[in-house]
Amino acid sequence: MKNIKYLKPLSPLQKGDDNMGVLENKGAIEYSKGLEGVIAALSSISAIDGEQGKLIYRGIPIEMLAKHSTYEETAYFLLYGELPTKSALDEFVAEMKELRYLPKRVEECILELPPNPHPMDILKVAVAHAGLYDPDQLESCREGVMRKVIRIIAEIPTIIAYYHRARTKQEIVPPNPNLGHAANFLYMLHGKEPDPEEARIFDIAMILHAEHGLNASTFAAMVTASTLSDINSAIVSAIGTLKGPLHGGANERVLKMLDEIGTPDRVEEYVKNALMEKRRIMGFGHRVYKTYDPRARILKQYAEKLSDKYGDRKWISIGEKIEEMMIRELGKKGIFPNVDFYSGIVYSFLGIPRDLFTPVFAMARSVGWAAHVCEYTQNNRIFRPRGYYTGPDYVEYIPIEQRR
Ligand code: ACO
């Protein structure tokens, strides 16, 4: 019994390195904490150059998509792998509009949900619930799966807006077929048509959040889908993963921090104390980018623009001061603003409540999640990594009455 070798390599981690090491057991076994640097799949959906601060979706730089594309066109491009022709895009947009409506039972249920849970939890519940009524639930052909995917992407904004209207005791506002995906969300949320310039800024923010390689939430969706589970389950896994403050939940906390700081002259002291106490500054740092996140650069411009438009530069001036100090203090370590740092300021000026920032992120990212799930499952292999056992080889079982 004592001689049994479990999945325990024969030699210990090299040099006590807790993060990355080579383990020897009939050849090398690599261990990377947090899977840093591990390539878990081949993908042609997006690529990040973390040193240069560049991001491409299927070869096109995001700056170009933010300038010329729409969320719907980008979604089509990510899902189908090619830019749509005019008629293909028209058809796709029409399908998305048609699928915006929730099943009656899901709508009724949202209206009855309690007002206090975090909206990300509501989103998880509602996406799972909507899956029960999906007429394509049992479809496994490519068109059927695509319809399921487009249905979820189209339903998420309605779920978020309906829940917000219901919890604030306002009438729900049904989707407006004359508006695009981003503008329609603002319309359903506020009950009035958005200013076209602001709708376009929101559309751009959605493009920038649509896809980002094998981040934690996308990977969670892929792991679930790799067991050949259904797409709703994969998206629910991703929503639960995006919720955490180290991932999509950071944007909400950035605004909380800006309010806590209050004025630009208090930034120096706040950041100094936080770093001394080893607290993280939300909206900074990234596993892949070791320089300025290109999405943050674009969102910063719109945060500036909206601050000037509303004559309120409080948040942006605190934000810029934090950025300056963080780059000075931690830039050499590769810590720069990430996508979450300026998005919250943009969303606040668009009248989006703070606890909806992460659901809005999910709304945009649902496309990336779905694109990766579809790509991976076409040539599927179940994800099943191994853990490195660090416990004892053998422990005697002591009957409970003899334990002390
Ligand atoms: N503030 C202060 N120090 C930081 C920060 C930060 N925001 N981020 C990283 N560091 C420091 C760490 O303390 C660590 O320092 P050390 O080497 O002296 O111990 C070093 O930088 C590396 O940090 P790790 O945690 O190892 O980096 P990792 O790649 O695991 O984490 C993460 C990346 C989670 C994004 C991290 O930078 C972080 O916690 N940022 C704040 C939360 C945030 O903004 N999340 C949103 C990310 S973007 C997205 O998911 C959409």
Side-chain angles (χ1 to χ4, degrees):
M1 186 77 170
K2 276 186 183 167
N3 290 331
I4 291 176
K5 287 282 171 238
Y6 296 98
L7 297 178
K8 185 173 180 177
L10 298 172
S11 61
L13 279 168
Q14 280 186 349
K15 296 193 175 74
D17 182 350
D18 181 35
N19 281 323
M20 181 87 76
V22 177
L23 308 172
E24 282 167 25
N25 182 14
K26 291 184 199 150
I29 298 173
E30 289 196 354
Y31 161 61
S32 170
K33 193 172 182 186
L35 299 182
E36 180 167 5
V38 171
I39 294 177
L42 302 178
S43 174
S44 62
I45 300 172
S46 69
I48 306 164
D49 181 336
E51 300 300 323
Q52 302 282 325
K54 296 206 183 326
L55 169 63
I56 52 173
Y57 291 170
R58 296 195 183 276
I60 302 186
I62 45 141
E63 290 78 6
M64 212 170 265
L65 291 166
K67 195 164 176 190
H68 301 293
S69 189
T70 59
Y71 180 73
E72 288 89 327
E73 184 186 60
T74 299
Y76 183 103
F77 183 43
L78 289 169
L79 291 170
Y80 291 100
E82 57 186 18
L83 283 171
T85 59
K86 168 91 177 64
S87 65
L89 181 60
D90 288 347
E91 212 176 290
F92 182 72
V93 167
E95 189 177 7
M96 276 182 79
K97 285 181 176 173
E98 213 173 278
L99 297 175
R100 282 174 182 167
Y101 299 86
L102 301 179
K104 198 77 203 126
R105 198 59 204 105
V106 176
E107 186 181 315
E108 285 164 4
C109 203
I110 288 176
L111 301 184
E112 285 161 18
L113 287 166
N116 32 343
H118 194 282
M120 281 299 272
D121 291 324
I122 301 293
L123 192 56
K124 267 188 309 194
V125 170
V127 169
H129 191 191
L132 304 180
Y133 302 97
D134 190 329
D136 298 306
Q137 202 178 22
L138 302 176
E139 284 282 352
S140 56
C141 68
R142 185 161 160 78
E143 297 82 68
V145 171
M146 270 304 170
R147 229 175 10 254
K148 280 197 273 201
V149 159
I150 297 166
R151 182 174 286 112
I152 297 175
I153 296 167
E155 284 174 346
I156 288 178
T158 316
I159 293 170
I160 301 169
Y162 278 17
Y163 177 64
H164 177 68
R165 300 285 297 183
R167 73 175 173 168
T168 52
K169 303 201 177 336
Q170 300 177 81
E171 283 284 305
I172 58 162
V173 179
N176 182 338
N178 299 320
L179 297 175
H181 195 69
N184 175 59
F185 172 71
L186 295 175
Y187 167 77
M188 291 190 296
L189 192 69
H190 296 136
K192 61 179 189 339
E193 284 198 27
D195 167 83
E197 188 192 34
E198 293 188 8
R200 176 60 187 149
I201 292 175
F202 186 51
D203 192 46
I204 292 168
M206 297 272 296
I207 294 172
L208 298 176
H209 284 86
E211 154 61 10
H212 209 235
L214 265 67
N215 55 81
S217 55
T218 302
F219 188 55
M222 291 167 68
V223 171
T224 302
S226 81
T227 68
L228 302 185
S229 184
D230 61 292
I231 182 78
N232 285 69
S233 299
I235 301 293
V236 169
S237 299
I239 295 169
T241 309
L242 186 72
K243 183 187 166 192
L246 295 188
H247 193 10
N251 53 14
E252 192 181 333
R253 283 158 206 249
V254 169
L255 258 281
K256 199 166 160 241
M257 173 179 72
L258 298 184
D259 277 347
E260 213 177 304
I261 297 175
T263 49
D265 58 303
R266 297 195 50 224
V267 166
E268 195 86 17
E269 190 195 347
Y270 181 95
V271 174
K272 216 166 83 194
N273 286 341
L275 296 184
M276 226 158 56
E277 291 161 16
K278 300 248 171 253
R279 275 188 288 125
R280 302 218 161 181
I281 302 293
M282 291 291 126
F284 280 84
H286 198 276
R287 175 60 65 78
V288 185
Y289 293 116
K290 297 304 164 203
T291 184
Y292 215 112
D293 181 331
R295 303 164 300 171
R297 209 180 279 290
I298 301 172
L299 287 166
K300 183 179 177 184
Q301 285 168 23
Y302 290 109
E304 290 266 7
K305 191 173 188 153
L306 289 165
S307 302
D308 288 340
K309 178 174 171 178
Y310 283 95
D312 179 359
R313 293 193 52 88
K314 188 178 101 176
W315 287 319
I316 191 76
S317 48
I318 299 173
E320 282 173 339
K321 198 89 204 280
I322 299 176
E323 176 186 325
E324 190 190 303
M325 193 171 165
M326 284 294 281
I327 294 178
R328 193 177 71 220
E329 296 293 322
L330 294 180
K332 52 191 170 302
K333 257 191 182 177
I335 306 290
F336 287 84
N338 61 48
V339 68
D340 278 341
F341 193 60
Y342 288 106
S343 63
I345 301 182
V346 170
Y347 295 156
S348 295
F349 282 118
L350 300 180
I352 298 173
R354 277 182 202 180
D355 62 356
L356 295 190
F357 292 177
T358 316
V360 158
F361 190 158
M363 172 177 148
R365 183 57 60 82
S366 55
V367 165
W369 293 334
H372 279 278
V373 163
C374 292
E375 180 185 63
Y376 188 76
T377 50
Q378 267 174 39
N379 189 12
N380 190 56
R381 188 156 195 229
I382 189 169
F383 282 107
R384 205 309 187 184
R386 278 171 58 187
Y388 171 53
Y389 179 63
T390 58
D393 277 349
Y394 178 74
V395 172
E396 199 75 49
Y397 178 81
I398 303 170
I400 195 159
E401 55 283 358
Q402 292 172 24
R403 285 179 218 156
R404 308 167 357 114

